[in-house]
């Protein structure tokens, strides 16, 4: 089987409101930087393109098609789209390469969440008969999850505040972060309750932005002559949409995905976990059995900027960045979708052996 | 109640209302600001030099931003058309009416608009047309500032030249 590598990653700033900029205007600068990083001209120089976005975010039908205008798609290219985080677009691209249909792929994700009321918009991803008509928003569902954990003694509010504090401090080294600063756990605990038991700091911000990644076979990466990191495993698993049937204090699907992706085969130096709410990072860390040897969310994670449909892909890129800089040898990137960590994808990245 | 007695549920009412602050984009904003002044403004691709109208911000062919603004004529050529003979729900226009793809002089792509003041059966590809504008005090940020396009008494444009005329209507 052909080994697959990541060769490029770029992200836009995470902004609370990208203003009048439309999808194609948001994506173009990110792709331009990605192409420059890999040393290619445009999407004509890769074999496959796959994007991740959701038209419900900006409330514009077929907004995802507009993204194609950023690619240089004449003559026609092979292109696909997932109505999911672009981490799943990367998964599709890996399959394309594994099947021998491509040697390289461009993956991009974008989300302009500011035009709508994001927590309410996301209520429409719930089951259409029982939950969506109640308009249960994402923050309320996460608050119920946190309440269960607190009442069962699985976490304390201070544990949650410490996650927020570390995120904000780590984000000080991330030029694209939306929220960063030297905030202590006490500072977080001093905030008033927002949706009990969550404080504003426990919740990811609403963000606009985009990110892009280029992957290729190792042969192709060598031909391009750019630094690369290997993708040694990728897997995803989903739980039922019936919230009452899930143990939402745990993330079984994350654990299964990590096992299948081969996370345990070596040390995990860095883990980028998609936890839109502070307590969810604790759930994920425990489900994955990560300990002190792992640096968690060195970018600040999505508590510092949550690019819907792109942050899962960015997590993969952030681990890639730390491997090619020599900061880490091996790491995992996690992406999530659905309420209370319903659907989870884990990617394992490793340093390439010296050729 | 036994299963046989239960009424079959064929419909569940769950209306969805979502509110958005929709923005057109910065390139469309420039286009709309110009049409408010009665000007059809295209944007030129720096790479392939194609002129787009209305603009979205990029050349879809090359994947690069279109920055340079180009003022176009309100004279145009019919690239394609259809005669609508059935009423369309919520459309205030009474059939039969004509929807046409027209390319304004100086642009390389067409946009869709209405045609009127014409004999429907005589409308044809290559026909020369011109915009009929609303009175100036009714102009807004909308394509609607043009009521429709009407035929011009000018010779037809050969098919291979449609979308290739300069802003003065000559062969580009
Ligand atoms: Zn072009």
């Amino acid at each position: 089987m052909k080994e697959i590598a990541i060769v490029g990653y770029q992200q836009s700033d995470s902004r609370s409101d990208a203003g009048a900029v439309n999808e194609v205007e948001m994506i173009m600068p990110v792709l331009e930087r990605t192409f420059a990083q890999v040393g290619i001209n445009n999407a004509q120089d890769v074999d496959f393109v796959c994007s991740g976005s959701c038209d419900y975010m900006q409330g514009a039908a077929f907004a995802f098609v507009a993204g194609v205008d950023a690619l240089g798609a004449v003559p026609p290219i092979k292109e696909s789209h997932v109505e999911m985080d672009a981490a799943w677009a990367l998964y599709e691209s890996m399959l394309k390469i594994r099947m021998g249909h491509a040697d390289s792929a461009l993956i991009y994700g974008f989300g302009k969440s500011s035009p709508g009321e994001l927590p309410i918009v996301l209520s429409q991803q719930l089951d259409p008969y029982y939950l969506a008509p109640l308009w249960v928003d994402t923050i309320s569902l996460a608050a119920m999850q946190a309440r269960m954990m607190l009442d069962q003694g699985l976490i304390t509010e201070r544990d949650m505040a410490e996650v927020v504090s570390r995120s904000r401090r780590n984000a000080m080294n991330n030029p694209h972060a939306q929220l960063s600063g030297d905030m202590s756990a006490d500072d977080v605990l001093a905030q008033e309750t927002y949706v009990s038991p969550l404080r504003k700091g426990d919740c990811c911000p609403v963000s606009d932005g985009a990110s892009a990644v280029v992957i290729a076979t190792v042969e192709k990466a060598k031909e391009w002559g750019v630094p690369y990191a290997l993708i040694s495993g990728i897997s995803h698993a989903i739980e039922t949409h019936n919230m009452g049937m899930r143990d939402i204090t745990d993330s079984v699907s994350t654990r299964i995905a990590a096992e299948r992706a081969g996370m345990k085969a070596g040390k995990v130096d860095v883990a980028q976990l998609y936890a839109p709410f502070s307590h969810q990072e604790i759930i994920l860390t425990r489900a994955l059995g990560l300990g002190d040897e792992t640096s968690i969310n060195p970018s600040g994670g999505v508590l510092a900027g949550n690019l819907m449909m792109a942050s899962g892909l960015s997590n993969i890129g952030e681990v890639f960045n730390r491997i090619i800089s020599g900061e880490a040898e091996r790491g995992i990137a996690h992406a999530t979708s659905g309420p209370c960590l319903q659907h989870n994808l884990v990617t394992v990245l490793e340093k390439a052996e010296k050729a | 109640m036994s299963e046989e007695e239960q009424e079959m549920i064929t419909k569940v009412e769950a209306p969805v209302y979502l509110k958005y602050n929709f923005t057109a984009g910065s390139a469309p904003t420039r286009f709309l600001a110009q049409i408010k002044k009665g000007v059809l403004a295209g944007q030129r691709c720096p790479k392939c030099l194609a002129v787009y109208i209305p603009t979205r911000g990029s050349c879809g062919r090359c994947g690069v931003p279109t920055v340079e603004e180009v003022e176009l004529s309100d004279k145009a050529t019919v690239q394609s058309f259809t005669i609508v003979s059935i009423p369309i729900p919520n459309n205030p226009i009474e059939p039969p009416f004509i929807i046409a793809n027209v390319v304004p002089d100086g642009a390389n792509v067409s946009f869709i608009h209405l045609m009127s003041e014409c004999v429907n059966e005589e409308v044809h590809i290559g026909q020369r047309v011109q915009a009929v504008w609303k009175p100036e005090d009714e102009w807004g940020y909308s394509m609607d500032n043009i009521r429709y396009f009407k035929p011009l008494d000018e010779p037809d444009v050969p098919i291979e030249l449609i979308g290739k005329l300069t802003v003065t209507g000559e062969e580009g």
Side-chain angles (χ1 to χ4, degrees):
Chain A
M1 200 154 55
K2 280 181 177 172
E3 278 197 300
I4 300 173
I6 300 195
V7 295
Y9 159 63
Q10 296 292 327
Q11 194 203 289
S12 70
D13 288 345
S14 180
R15 297 164 66 191
S16 63
D17 186 352
V21 169
N22 65 25
E23 299 77 31
V24 70
E25 291 168 335
M26 200 161 71
I27 298 162
M28 262 187 302
V30 177
L31 292 190
E32 199 183 343
R33 283 180 3 234
T34 311
F35 296 144
Q37 182 182 6
V38 183
I40 57 179
N41 293 313
N42 54 30
Q44 297 291 336
D45 294 340
V46 292
D47 299 330
F48 183 60
V49 179
C50 198
S51 60
S53 71
C54 175
D55 291 355
Y56 272 71
M57 300 290 112
Q58 60 264 57
F62 286 92
F64 75 94
V65 179
V68 177
D69 282 348
L71 298 173
V74 174
I77 56 171
K78 287 182 190 157
E79 192 266 347
S80 182
H81 175 263
V82 295
E83 199 80 2
M84 307 174 83
D85 189 291
W88 275 270
L90 183 136
Y91 185 93
E92 178 177 335
S93 304
M94 296 233 354
L95 297 181
K96 202 87 177 168
I97 294 178
R98 290 249 164 101
M99 288 189 296
H101 294 172
D103 283 328
S104 59
L106 165 71
I107 300 107
Y108 65 97
F110 61 100
K112 197 178 174 192
S113 301
S114 65
E117 265 182 284
L118 185 61
I120 295 291
V121 170
L122 289 176
S123 73
Q124 296 308 299
Q125 73 183 334
L126 299 169
D127 111 65
Y129 305 111
Y130 302 116
L131 281 175
L134 300 177
W135 298 94
V136 191
D137 67 278
T138 32
I139 301 176
S140 299
L141 288 170
M144 291 203 304
Q145 184 181 34
R147 172 63 67 203
M148 278 178 88
M149 297 184 73
L150 288 166
D151 282 9
Q152 290 178 30
L154 297 170
I155 52 167
T156 63
E157 292 190 26
R158 179 160 291 275
D159 293 337
M160 294 164 64
E162 270 159 11
V163 170
V164 181
S165 165
R166 177 170 36 74
S167 159
R168 297 288 174 94
R169 283 174 175 156
N170 285 352
M172 290 166 77
N173 297 314
N174 178 356
H176 302 301
Q178 186 176 333
L179 301 176
S180 64
D182 190 12
M183 186 186 250
S184 70
D186 285 325
D187 294 335
V188 180
L189 289 170
Q191 289 181 354
E192 56 184 295
T193 307
Y194 174 50
V195 178
S196 167
L198 302 176
R199 293 171 170 82
K200 270 263 165 87
D202 292 308
C203 311
C204 62
V206 174
S207 317
D208 293 346
S211 67
V213 160
V214 174
I215 64 172
T217 58
V218 167
E219 298 80 66
K220 188 76 191 171
K222 285 180 179 164
E223 186 191 312
W224 277 334
V226 287
Y228 61 90
L230 298 174
I231 303 175
S232 65
I234 189 166
S235 187
H236 67 120
I238 191 167
E239 296 172 44
T240 170
H241 64 200
N242 184 338
M243 300 284 284
M245 283 175 68
R246 289 170 52 194
D247 175 5
I248 56 173
T249 67
D250 188 12
S251 183
V252 182
S253 50
T254 301
R255 191 158 46 238
I256 292 170
E259 273 163 24
R260 289 190 195 141
M263 182 192 97
K264 289 275 162 62
K267 198 163 144 270
V268 180
D269 298 323
V270 57
Q272 283 284 141
L273 307 178
Y274 201 136
F277 300 92
S278 60
H279 63 280
Q280 294 179 343
E281 190 192 287
I282 304 172
I283 296 175
L284 292 167
T285 307
R286 289 177 185 168
L288 292 165
L290 299 174
D292 290 339
E293 74 286 356
T294 304
S295 160
I296 295 184
N297 286 346
S299 76
V302 292
L303 288 178
N306 181 35
L307 303 181
M308 291 296 300
M309 310 298 144
S311 276
L313 180 69
S314 288
N315 275 347
I316 297 172
E318 292 294 334
V319 174
F320 158 77
N321 273 354
R322 280 157 186 88
I323 290 176
I324 57 165
S325 73
E327 221 175 290
E329 295 208 341
R330 191 167 183 277
I332 61 156
H334 162 260
T336 198
S337 173
C340 299
L341 306 172
Q342 184 193 2
H343 187 186
N344 297 284
L345 178 139
V346 174
T347 310
V348 183
L349 288 95
E350 291 179 16
K351 191 178 120 178
E353 295 299 326
K354 282 268 178 289
Chain B
M1 205 164 32
S2 76
E3 224 171 281
E4 288 83 353
E5 291 167 77
Q6 279 181 6
E7 222 178 297
M8 174 79 89
I9 297 166
T10 56
K11 194 166 98 175
V12 174
E13 291 217 11
V16 174
Y17 299 102
L18 294 168
K19 280 189 188 168
Y20 296 91
N21 289 318
F22 184 73
T23 43
S26 43
T29 296
R30 287 193 282 146
F31 169 79
L32 293 170
Q34 289 284 23
I35 201 154
K36 175 110 168 48
K37 294 186 254 172
V39 174
L40 285 176
Q43 283 176 18
R44 195 191 313 272
C45 171
K47 243 172 130 179
C48 70
L49 305 181
V51 173
Y52 289 85
I53 182 171
T55 52
R56 277 212 39 95
S58 85
C59 171
R61 224 174 293 187
C62 307
V64 297
T66 50
V67 182
E68 188 198 342
E69 204 164 285
V70 190
E71 190 172 329
L72 305 173
S73 167
D74 71 350
K75 289 186 180 179
T77 309
V78 175
Q79 190 184 44
S80 187
F81 68 96
T82 186
I83 303 175
V84 182
S85 305
I86 53 159
I88 313 260
N90 299 320
N91 188 334
I93 308 168
E94 291 214 357
F97 60 91
I98 294 193
I99 291 176
N101 265 318
V102 298
V103 195
D105 294 351
N108 301 113
V109 297
S110 61
F111 59 76
I112 292 177
H113 217 294
L114 298 167
M115 268 187 74
S116 198
E117 287 186 44
C118 55
V119 180
N120 288 356
E121 287 65 33
E122 288 174 8
V123 169
H124 54 276
I125 289 172
Q127 188 172 13
R128 296 286 291 153
V129 292
Q130 184 164 23
V132 174
W133 297 78
K134 281 182 178 172
E136 195 175 335
D137 56 0
E138 289 177 32
W139 288 349
Y141 297 106
S142 171
M143 282 300 253
D144 205 22
N145 294 354
I146 297 174
R147 274 197 215 284
Y148 51 80
F149 283 79
K150 67 168 187 191
L152 272 179
D153 189 18
E154 284 185 13
D156 288 351
V157 176
I159 285 175
E160 61 277 12
L161 290 180
I162 297 175
K164 292 184 179 138
L165 301 188
T166 65
V167 70
T168 50
E170 284 137 43
E171 285 186 27

